[in-house]
């Protein structure tokens, strides 16, 4: 079930738990080596989230802000969610195929938690 995206924009769709409404979040998609390497480096803020794919781990060296990190398996199910301060090296997750990064604290508001399933809706441009 390989997923192929290109660098660009879309939406992260978090299904509402218990029949609640879904949450749609602006999403940057970083799939090229260059885009994944840059990620959130040098930014003070992100509106929404960024998807790094493929990715199984991240670091926050040279970052200016703490971030939430969600590790996703190949079915886009959340394996783990961690908050990382700048200057940290995240533990690799063996089953992780994709990583979503966002500002610290927002993932719990969106309903992104271990076991949740998300979708990536790509913008047509």
């Amino acid at each position: 079930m390989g997923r192929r995206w290109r660098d660009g924009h879309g939406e992260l769709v978090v299904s509402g738990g218990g029949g609640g409404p879904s949450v749609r979040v602006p999403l940057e998609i970083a799939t090229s080596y260059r885009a994944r390497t840059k990620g959130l480096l040098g930014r003070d803020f992100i509106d929404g989230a960024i998807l790094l794919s493929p990715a199984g781990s991240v670091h926050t060296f040279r970052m200016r802000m703490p971030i939430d990190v969600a590790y996703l398996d190949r079915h886009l199910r959340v394996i783990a969610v961690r908050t990382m301060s700048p200057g940290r090296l995240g533990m690799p997750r063996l089953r992780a195929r994709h990583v979503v990064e966002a500002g610290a604290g927002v993932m719990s508001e969106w309903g992104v938690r271990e076991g949740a399933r998300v979708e990536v809706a790509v913008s047509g441009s």
Side-chain angles (χ1 to χ4, degrees):
M1 183 177 223
R3 295 195 180 338
R4 293 256 178 199
W5 297 291
R6 293 186 175 195
D7 291 349
H9 298 281
E11 286 184 317
L12 181 71
V13 181
V14 183
S15 300
S22 296
V23 175
R24 300 180 82 83
V25 178
L27 182 70
E28 293 179 36
I29 301 171
T31 59
S32 68
Y33 176 79
R34 183 179 193 153
R36 288 190 327 260
T37 302
K38 183 171 185 210
L40 296 177
L41 294 177
R43 297 194 203 183
D44 294 320
F45 173 80
I46 180 169
D47 181 26
I50 185 170
L51 170 73
L52 307 175
S53 179
S57 66
V58 297
H59 68 82
T60 57
F61 300 120
R62 296 185 4 216
M63 284 199 181
R64 298 178 181 172
M65 62 183 176
I67 59 171
D68 280 351
V69 179
Y71 299 89
L72 310 177
D73 69 10
R74 66 187 180 127
H75 302 290
L76 300 182
R77 188 164 307 280
V78 179
I79 297 170
V81 179
R82 299 289 181 261
T83 299
M84 295 177 63
S85 301
R88 302 288 180 191
L89 179 62
M91 290 194 45
R93 305 290 169 171
L94 296 179
R95 294 181 323 165
R97 298 293 178 265
H98 318 282
V99 172
V100 175
E101 298 178 344
V106 298
M107 287 201 187
S108 62
E109 295 173 15
W110 298 339
V112 176
R113 60 186 50 85
E114 189 173 333
R117 191 169 183 293
V118 300
E119 296 174 38
V120 174
V122 179
S123 299
S125 29

